[in-house]
Each structure stands twice: as structure tokens, then as C-alpha cells.
Amino acid sequence: MAELPVPELPAVLSRSSGRFTISTLLGMEEGGRGPYAPAEGVGCDSAHPTHLSGSTLCTRTFGYNTVDVVPAYEHYANSKGVGDAGKSRPSLADLHSILKPDPGHLRAPASDPQRSNGLPEAGPEEAPGEPGRAPAPEPVRFGWVKGVMIRCMLNIWGVILYLRLPWITAQAGIALTWLIILMSVTVTTITGLSISAISTNGKVKSGGTYFLISRSLGPELGGSIGLIFAFANAVAVAMHTVGFAETVRDLLQEHNSLIVDPTNDIRIIGVVTVTVLLGISLAGMEWEAKAQILFFLVILVSFINYLVGTVIPASAEKQAKGFFSYRAEIFAQNFVPNWRGPEGSFFGLFSIFFPSATGILAGANISGDLKDPAVAIPKGTLMAIFWTTMSYLVLSATIGACVVRDASGSLNDSVAVGSPGCEGLACDYGWNFTACAQRQSCRYGLSNYYQSMSMVSAFGPLITAGIFGATLSSALACLVSAPKVFQCLCRDQLYPLIGFFGKGYGRNSEPIRGYMLTYVIAVGFILIAELNAIAPIISNFFLCSYALINFSCFHASITNSPGWRPSFRYYSKWAALFGAVVSVVIMFLLTWWAALIAFGIVVFLLGYVLYKKPDVNWGSSMQASSYNMALNYSVGLSEVDEHIKNYRPQCLVLTGPPNFRPALVDFVGTFTKNLSLMLCGNVLIGPRKQKTPESRLTADGHTKWLMKRKIKAFYTDVVAEDLRSGVQMLIQAAGLGKMRPNMLVLGYKRNWRTVSPQSLEDYVGILHDAFDFKYGVCLMRMKEGLNVSRVMQAHVNPTFEAAEHPEENGTGGRAAPDTADPAALAGEQQASTIFQSEQGKKTIDIYWLFDDGGLTLLIPYLLGRKKRWGKCKIRVFVGGQINRMDEERKAIVSLLSKFRLGFHEVHILPDINQKPRPEHIRRFDDLIAPFRLNDGFKDEATVNEMRQGCPWKISDEEVNKNRAKSLRQVRLNEILLDYSRDAALIAITLPIGRKGRCPSSLYMAWLETLSQDLRPPVILTRGNQENVLTFYCQ
């Protein structure tokens, strides 16, 4: 604690480790003068002038000599930082500590108090346990092959493999086609690595992509992606089903067997197909898995059929269509690009091919049905990417080595090798396709015929079967994925009106209701039968998922959270970031307007969850990032020197349990919200072993109570043997770096006359401690009191109105909840206070009687900026002389205008030095009578002996010396009643009682007299005598 340097320091004080004991603060030694007693002839706040009290203005204004000075311009001139006090204003030590005759000791800088370096003990990491339940039948679980690899391969393979990859090879050439494939696979591989890392960082439950993203990035992004991903899968069912229906419709057209017409045939076939797929899904995951294996075998057979066809010698019919088996010349010609048509560009073809590389999330989406998701998802997903990539590369290379780009399909175009007028590679094999090639009217060849794979294969219908298998397997995978993801989202209850679909049935908790919803959505889009507009949006939704999965992996890695410990090590945070960026870029390359729509939907859903703030805690990387940012900014803040322009009142509020004093909490919370630090402090009095468990139990409940009341504050408590030592702990240890309290806020002690004398000493001692630690102080008094509790718990601080009658607090007969129960605290009905209501066009009256650095002005200014107090007019009252009222008013108005506070109404109080009314003086005398020592003006040694054991007693000499100051409090109360009876709030400069020279009972009598009989809330504020306001811009 800061103290004034003295020539001789008593041994007992030198061993106090920088903190005063109560006996030291009293400054009295048994049977003699204390070590801080002033020299003979030096008075404190007396009528005799000292070397510090040279301000004749104070003497004229207040009628007695005082070290305190009135507000003046010079005190703020040339001030540059917090802590640079003006030349003329006395320091806090000059006002608060015992006055010394040596001027060299009066203004010496005090050392900062020693602060504890202790850190709070971190509790063990707790994970929510699984609720105990009776053993249920073992559900069907899949391994990595059947559950993930086959499912992902089937979802990746699609109609593009059969119908578009040969055409892309003809356009881009084998080399650039491989580049397109590898670029696409790079994105999906990076995403696969990110999925592997996330899925191995803890237990993965059902919910797939939504579960992974939401548990990594939090409910805001996870919820928005989960909803649109489930919807995208539902629409993808329709898209794949329509692809199948179109193929069937084309076959019917070839045989002239249309059911109705081409469009309605697609609708009929699509609805029937999706209904059959729904039946397979409802039969259970085991039947669905068997259907997927059947589709997988059909696709494998179609691949083998194609590869066998490439080595079979070409027939004349196939040669007429451009197939000549493996030829090095054909491979060389098809190795380079040959762009044709409006889509003939690299990125145009890339946008066409990329959707065929997606589908890697099919295995992760049924994470709840896997035996070991942490093993199955990485292994199955990466193996699926590898094998599908190999199939794409082999297909493009083989078909590019067998088929020329242009062919007529006519057997009449055969010519002798070397015939004149024949151009093109086919001339060397006896075919002349020059005419159609020049007219660009060839019907066959890689560049013109989408069914090239079917033409090359050994048995064409097997390729058609492969197309059926690819489309139906993708539709079935999406039909299963959408309800699984949506079910998990429904159970988390992030959005309204969807909880109905979260119910599960059977051993595998099948989302039957989700299946039916997906079926309805799919049928609706099948009936539209025009998916060209919606398909790009779906692709962008999937790419959104890829981007967020990669960003989840990057974000979890970059935050360095100790909880990020994936067992899958083969990932890179920078590769994940690259994958996220590339995914977003690809979204705009595919369809820029669809990308904007996707982002708009994500932002809307994100904003909704941010607004609702669901009560979930999943330990997301966003929480880790918030901690990192707070830590970095706090450490960075320590490197920045303080400046008056950035001064903020950072408040340590002695609330006890915050729900006991809601008015005090609301008052401070009003002016600190979104501005500065507010810390609610509570001292648990009693043995540490007994109180520490109580502290841990109630802290969370008090914090939730503050959050429910929308108070942006921290809660902290300490266990101590008595209140004063506990507050000393809080003052020294509260805060972090520059985020430390600089102001102590506490309630006025209404029952000071009836409590134990030691309790009174502790209360006033807390104020002394705050000043010694260079804190500003703010006392708040309300006519109805602050404590609204009926049932006082064992840990309520007895010195803070513990003996007050509950009926005086206006609680309406409602008992306070058991504060040992955090749930009861959080659910407690909130008490209403004056600081929560609109104040209308009342006034906030500031009595800036002494210059404390400007804190008395700053608190009402910050309060007046809030909406509830914005209509109030702020009036400033200062003391002055009757013959200089205009000059003094102009000086204060000029000073306030330089502060830019917007205070324009200034009143000078010329009658502040008038003698109070006799009845009010008698009331003050009656107030201090029970605390009088009645020693008959004996010498100091005799008085100290008489006061042994009762330091709160007031000697006759102390009453006489402080008579002028006492009468001033009486007169000020009369002025307050005259001018501010109907104000919304009264702010007064807090008088300071000199430590060791002003008994606690006399000081409390001053505060009682000053603030009694006032209807509005009264705040008595005293800064630490250092500037908190400046009119400079640097």
C-alpha cells in the first residue's frame, strides 16, 4: 500500500510487507503519539493555515482553512498521462495521510502497492458424461470399407464420369484433363485430411458434417451449414434421381415407348424411383448398405467392361465412330488441348468436372452408424479419394489413346491408306472424316459423342447399368445423409419449429420423420423437372461445407488450444487454409450468383443464431480464439503507456452476492457497459476450509445471474477472516495487467450506528485502504437501502447492512433464494431498480465542491450518455463568493467547455458558508453524542489512554478542531434539500477524513448528515487526485 516516506519508520511497520494493519492505519501507539502524528502546531483541516493550505480562496469560500482546493484551470494544464497531477492540486497523500511539517515529504511519489502474482487454480477439465441408461439392443454398425469407402466412392462417381469425362478429355487434352482432375482432387484431399483431423479429435457422434463443423467452430457457423447442407442433400436426391429418369426416358425414346411425353415421363419415373429408394432407406441402414454394395458391384463391372472393350480389336462400325484401339498417334494428338464451343476454356471445363470430385462427405454424414468413426472416416474417405482419382486418370488416359476427336459414324467414309485429299489422323487408319470435321458436323468422336464409353465398351448396356448405379447410389446416399444431419441439428434446438423431426426410431435411432421430410422435398423438386437453376446453388452449398471444414481445421490449429489433439497427424493448418480459400474461389468460378446466394443464406442463418445465443457449450475453437485474442490484447495493453484521453473508470464493486444489491450492480453496470471493467467482489468470511467449497459452488451461479440481468461484469470472491482483510486482497489482486480496477464502489452503511464498533472501524478502514492503494472511491446511498435480501445466508458480509431489517428494503415480502444453489440463483426473478427505468426530463445534479481530478464529473457524464438517462439535464454546482459569482461561473463554464462534456448549466453556491439552522446543528450533535469520549479537553496522552480499545470514540478536541467541517456537511445537506429534492441523481464530491486523526464515527456522521433525507440516489465520489479529464488532444 502506498504510504508517505517518513524519516523514521517503526520496526513493526517495516515488517508489514507494504500493507498497513488496522492498528497502523489508526496511527496511534499505546500511551503516546503515533508514528504519523503531526508535529506540534501543525493542524489538519483547521482554522490555522499551514504551508499546504495557502489557498485563500478556499478559506473565503468555505469559511475554514483546508488543504483541499476548488476546481481550477491550472490543475489540468500541461497534463499528459494518468498520474501526472497538476502543480497546485494536493496529492491524495496530502489529503488523506497525516500532515508532515517537512514539505519535501509531502509530495514525494508513493511507491505502488505490491501485488500478488497468484493465479487461480484451474479446475479439472470436465466433459459431459453419458447419461446412465438400461442396455439397449446393439445397433447396426459399419466398418471403414462398407460404411465410408464404398459409400464415398459411390457418391463421388456420377454421370459426369460416364458422359462428360471423355468430352472433357477431347477439349482439354489428356495433360490438362489430368491437371483438372488433380486440381479438383487437391481440394477434396485437403478437405479429407481436415475431416480426418477433426474426426479424430474426440468422440464423433451422429450428425456428420454438421456435427464436425458445429463442435469445431461453434453453433453459429455449424448451425447455418447444417441446415443448408441437409437441404442441399435433400435437393441432391432429386437431382440424381432426375439424372436417372432422363437416362431411362432416352432409352424409351429410342424404342418409341414413351409413357406420356418427355417431361412428364421424367416426373413419373423420378417419383417412382425416389419412392423405391425411400422404401430401401426405411427398411434400415443394413438394407441400404446392401443396396449400395449392389450398386458398387454394378459400377465395377461396367468399368471392367469398358477396359476390356479398349483392348478388343475395333470393328468397322466402331472405327467409323472413331475407335481404333490403343494407338500412340491418337494418344499424342489427344494429349494437347483442342478448345471448341462456348465452354471451351480451362476454367469452364474445370467448373463442369469439379462436382464429380465432390461427395467425400457421404461417409462422415452417417458418423453415428460407424463402429469407430475416428478410424473409419479418415481411412475410408482418403481411400475413396485415392481410388476414384485413379479411375478418373485411367479413364481419361485410356479413352484419349483409343478414340479420335472427330468421326462421322458412316461406314461409307472408309478409304485406302494414303488417299489424296484426306486430312486428319484417321486417314492413316483408312477412314476419311475430313468433310464433317471441316464443317464441324461430325456426330461421333470424343468431341461430339457423349456416349463414347458405351461405344468403346465390350457390352454397351453395362455402361448404361453403370450410369444407373452411379445415379441411384448417389441419390440413395443423399437420401440417407440429409435426415441424419438434420436429426442432429433438430436435437440441438438451434432453430425453432424443427424439434419435431429430431425423434429417432429403432435400434439405430432412425430419423423416420426426417426421411419423410426429405422425400417431400425431393418429390417437389422432381416435379419441377428443371434443375439447371438449382444445381449450381447445391454445388455451392457443398463447397461452403468444404470451406468451413478446412477453416475449422485451420482455426483449431492456429488457436493452439490444448484441447486440439487429433490422433490423425498427417494434416497441415496452412494446407487447410489453402483448401478453404480455394473452395471459396471455386464457388465463384462455378457460378458467381449462386455463390452470393449461398453466402447470403449462411450469413442470415448465422445472424439468427448469434441473436438467439443458444445455451450450448461445445468447447469450440472460437472460444479458444476468444481467449487468445483477449490474452494477446491484454499483454499488448501492458506495453502501452496510459493516457488521460483513454482513462476509463474500472470498478471493483463490493456487492457481496450480486443479487443482494441489484441497484448497486445496475448503477455501475449502466456506465461501464461496453466501456470499461466491472468486477463484482464478494468476501466470504469464515474458515478457509469451510468457505472455499461454497465459493466454488456459488461463483457460477452469480456469474449467470449477472448474464441474465445483461450486466457485462466479472464476479470474484475471496475467503478471509474478516471483511477488511478480504477487501484488501481484492484491491491488491483483482484484475490483470492494465485491466485492473482503479475505483472502489460500495454501498453506504445505513446501520453504522447500531452495528458493532469493530464493524464500523472496518468499513471506514476499507475507504482508507482504497485511498492508500491510489483508488478512487464511490459510495452510493439510496433512501430505501440497497440490500434486497430477506434471508441472510451465512456468508453475507455482516458489516454490509447485515443487521438491517428486511422490511426496510422494499422486497415485497419475497424471500431471497438459497445462494448456495447456482441453479436457483440463475433462475431467480430479477428485482427491478431505478437504474432500469427511463428517467425522463429530470436532472442529474453534480456538486463539484473539491477538485478530485474530474472523477466526480466523469461518472455522471458517462451515465448521461445512456438511453435511459439521455433526457436528463445535467447541472453543476460549485462553491463561490457572493461578490464574485459571475467571474467564478464564467471560469467554471470555460473549464467545462474545454472538457467537452456538454455541461452548460452551472450554478454558484454563494451561501455555502452560511451557518446551518440551529435544529440541524442539534441533530448533528445528537448524532455524535453516543460516540463522544467526553474527556473534557484533556491532553493527548490522557485521551489516548482513555480511548484504548475504542478508537472510534470522538474526543472533545477532535470535535472542536473539526467543527467547521462538520457544520459544512450540515449546511450542504440543507442546500441539497433546497436545490436537488426532485433530481434523478445527486453526485457529490466525497469528503475525506484524515487517517488517524478523524475517528470513524465522526466521519460516518459527516456522511450521514450530508446525505440524509434525500429522495434521489446519492453517489459520493472522490478520485485519487490525479487527472481523469483533459482538454488536450495529445
Side-chain angles (χ1 to χ4, degrees), residues 319-331:
Q319 286 184 355
K321 294 180 179 180
F323 172 62
F324 297 98
S325 296
Y326 291 106
R327 302 292 177 108
E329 296 82 0
I330 297 178
F331 181 85

Side-chain angles (χ1 to χ4, degrees), residues 70-210:
V70 296
Y73 172 92
E74 296 81 15
H75 303 162
Y76 300 89
N78 298 322
S79 54
K80 300 213 175 157
V82 176
D84 298 339
K87 295 179 180 179
S88 301
R89 185 193 307 133
S91 69
L92 188 63
D94 293 338
L95 293 171
H96 182 234
S97 298
I98 297 174
L99 207 58
K100 287 294 178 181
D102 184 4
H105 291 298
L106 284 168
R107 300 301 299 271
S111 59
D112 286 337
Q114 305 231 348
R115 299 190 184 269
S116 155
N117 226 1
L119 296 173
E121 295 182 4
E125 183 180 349
E126 295 181 359
E130 292 293 332
R133 55 182 65 177
E138 187 66 25
V140 177
R141 294 286 186 256
F142 304 111
W144 70 272
V145 175
K146 186 190 295 187
V148 180
M149 189 185 78
I150 292 178
R151 191 175 299 274
C152 286
M153 291 177 70
L154 289 172
N155 213 19
I156 293 171
W157 283 329
V159 292
I160 291 177
L161 168 69
Y162 292 96
L163 302 181
R164 290 294 182 271
L165 188 57
W167 174 77
I168 291 173
T169 304
Q171 289 268 1
I174 296 172
L176 291 184
T177 300
W178 277 37
L179 181 60
I180 290 173
I181 294 171
L182 293 177
M183 284 177 60
S184 303
V185 169
T186 298
V187 177
T188 57
T189 302
I190 292 174
T191 308
L193 295 175
S194 299
I195 292 173
S196 302
I198 297 173
S199 62
T200 57
N201 188 53
K203 184 179 180 181
V204 178
K205 299 181 181 179
S206 62
T209 306
Y210 161 71

Side-chain angles (χ1 to χ4, degrees), residues 194 198 217 547-560 564 571-578 580 621:
S194 299
I198 297 173
L217 287 179
L548 282 178
I549 286 174
N550 284 309
F551 183 74
S552 299
C553 182
F554 166 76
H555 198 265
S557 303
I558 204 71
T559 54
N560 293 322
W564 174 249
Y571 72 95
S572 167
K573 58 186 177 185
W574 301 115
L577 179 62
F578 173 76
S621 61

Side-chain angles (χ1 to χ4, degrees), residues 55-70 850:
S55 174
T56 56
L57 180 60
C58 282
T59 306
R60 290 196 303 269
T61 301
F62 295 100
Y64 73 103
N65 194 20
T66 177
V67 178
D68 234 344
V69 292
V70 296
F850 296 107

